[in-house]
Amino acid sequence: MNWSRAVGVSVAGVVLCGCAVSAGDAGTAQSPSAPAHGATADARNATSTPAGRAPVLILNGQLGARPGQLVDMQLDWVGGAQGHDAVVAQSPAFSAPVRLRWRNGGYGAVATLAMTGKPGWHPLSVTIAGRTVASDRIQVVRSERPSFRLAAPSSAARPGETVALRFDDLYPGERGTDFTVRSAALSGPVRLVHDKLYDFYNPRAFSAKPELRAGLADGTYTFELYGPHGHRVAEKRLTVRGSRPGDPDYLGKAHGPDFYDPGTGYVDGGHGHDVKVRLGGRVAVMWHDVYPDRGEEKRLTATSPAFTRVLHLNRDDSKGADGDDPRYFNTATIRADLKPGRYPVTVVAHHGRVKKTGYVTVTAR
């Protein structure tokens, strides 16, 4: 169903790597790394094909494609003046010939495979003014019945965890686009929408990634999918269970908060559980946890009477965190109206089961 296929094109039609390449009978296929795109290629191709270059056809989405999916086509090494509006792609997999238009230094188009397409390999040819300049094949597989999927990182999802909802109804006769999931495990109805980037090739895939309610009781919850006009299409069930003593994420092995100068960084500068900061100055807060609580990256905070506001700690996904325990950080501003002194900074994690405090010593300017 091509769900895991890397996106080869953006909505604007920019062709990336992972492409099938074929050339016309007039020469040898060129490497897809040839500079067919960009300002230089546009200027060179604007009037004529470079000497010794055969047209090169690049396809995306043509393997294992279901009826109704999209196929992106790009014909390179054809000058804009040479092609005019006479570049056409034809295949039994299409319901009609497809006109390629000038884009990105070549001729391209996004074609929809016919819903009536038969499984098998179908020839594809591209012509300029009736003359075939490139050819390839499209693999069409059988249509699949509409499917509703619910995925969680583990068999027993945790309260506050993010789950993935997906409805795929790329099937003859399906038309609606208004799909909603309802469940007592969610804070409210969740609308599924089409992701044009992730599901570029499948125009009828609808998805969402909602969070389970943080205070859910242990149990099995039903997720009901409703379509246009409010009729129920399908349902799935999910077991939710909070962490218990003995589970790795019950207390998580957390440590912190650590403090450091945001100007020098956590690795390069000194850090510890106590730090001196001037009135109105800035201090960075770091928190480590070997087994973070599910969904905690969206609710972990550091609070202090010395801070101008509650500090939301963000998951560190940078390369600098490689090999380290999962960690969370952000930078706080010290209030300017404080009396110099020592102030606590507290982080509460794992639904209140873990509470750790560090100290900031505020000095006069």
Side-chain angles (χ1 to χ4, degrees):
M1 291 182 287
N2 295 336
W3 292 356
S4 61
R5 179 186 295 133
V7 175
V9 293
S10 69
V11 176
V14 179
V15 180
L16 303 179
C17 61
C19 313
V21 181
S22 63
D25 297 334
T28 303
Q30 302 300 313
S31 166
S33 63
H37 306 301
T40 303
D42 279 353
R44 188 167 58 239
N45 284 343
T47 57
S48 63
T49 303
R53 294 285 189 177
V56 174
L57 176 62
I58 303 174
L59 299 181
N60 283 282
Q62 84 285 6
L63 300 177
R66 292 151 58 195
Q69 286 193 189
L70 306 181
V71 173
D72 183 88
M73 302 175 287
Q74 177 84 7
L75 185 68
D76 285 339
W77 300 113
V78 174
Q82 178 186 0
H84 294 291
D85 289 327
V87 183
V88 177
Q90 300 183 72
S91 174
F94 302 151
S95 57
V98 178
R99 182 67 57 85
L100 277 64
R101 305 293 184 183
W102 181 259
R103 70 177 192 188
N104 304 316
Y107 279 87
V110 177
T112 302
L113 299 180
M115 272 294 186
T116 57
K118 303 296 182 182
W121 290 90
H122 300 274
L124 166 69
S125 63
V126 179
T127 62
I128 299 179
R131 181 176 66 88
T132 300
V133 296
S135 60
D136 209 316
R137 295 192 301 167
I138 297 175
Q139 183 191 29
V140 178
V141 299
R142 294 183 181 278
S143 292
E144 297 180 5
R145 298 290 302 181
S147 61
F148 175 44
R149 295 189 177 185
L150 166 61
S154 57
S155 58
R158 295 285 195 248
E161 190 171 48
T162 297
V163 295
L165 303 171
R166 181 182 177 86
F167 181 54
D168 181 342
D169 74 340
L170 186 66
Y171 192 78
E174 301 297 331
R175 294 288 185 272
T177 58
D178 186 12
F179 300 103
T180 303
V181 173
R182 300 175 183 271
S183 174
L186 303 174
S187 59
V190 175
R191 187 169 185 268
L192 306 187
V193 298
H194 178 62
D195 187 330
K196 294 182 179 179
L197 181 63
Y198 180 76
D199 284 314
F200 176 84
Y201 299 109
N202 184 347
R204 294 205 55 81
F206 307 90
S207 60
K209 292 184 177 180
E211 286 185 1
L212 302 176
R213 291 194 292 113
L216 280 181
D218 290 1
T220 299
Y221 294 83
T222 300
F223 291 72
E224 297 178 312
L225 172 67
Y226 291 87
H229 311 299
H231 69 281
R232 193 173 70 170
V233 178
E235 70 173 43
K236 292 289 183 181
R237 296 169 70 81
L238 178 68
T239 299
V240 180
R241 183 179 69 79
S243 58
R244 301 169 181 173
D247 291 339
D249 57 338
Y250 184 71
L251 298 180
K253 297 185 180 179
H255 60 93
D258 289 339
F259 307 107
Y260 62 96
D261 183 349
T264 59
Y266 183 77
V267 176
D268 298 329
H271 52 81
H273 301 300
D274 207 327
V275 67
K276 291 183 178 180
V277 187
R278 293 183 178 182
L279 289 169
R282 301 169 73 239
V283 62
V285 181
M286 178 73 75
W287 175 262
H288 292 80
D289 198 337
V290 179
Y291 299 104
D293 195 58
R294 308 291 175 84
E296 200 154 61
E297 64 272 6
K298 296 187 178 180
R299 60 175 181 267
L300 197 64
T301 61
T303 59
S304 174
F307 294 171
T308 57
R309 59 179 177 82
V310 173
L311 186 67
H312 291 273
L313 302 181
N314 305 313
R315 179 71 177 256
D316 183 6
D317 294 322
S318 70
K319 297 296 289 184
D322 284 359
D324 202 354
D325 294 336
R327 64 191 196 184
Y328 304 81
F329 73 106
N330 205 345
T331 300
T333 300
I334 302 298
R335 290 169 49 190
D337 59 350
L338 291 175
K339 292 182 179 180
R342 193 166 181 255
Y343 294 88
V345 178
T346 302
V347 177
V348 178
H350 295 275
H351 296 279
R353 294 187 296 269
V354 175
K355 180 179 179 180
K356 293 182 179 292
T357 300
Y359 292 90
V360 170
T361 300
V362 178
T363 63
R365 290 181 184 274

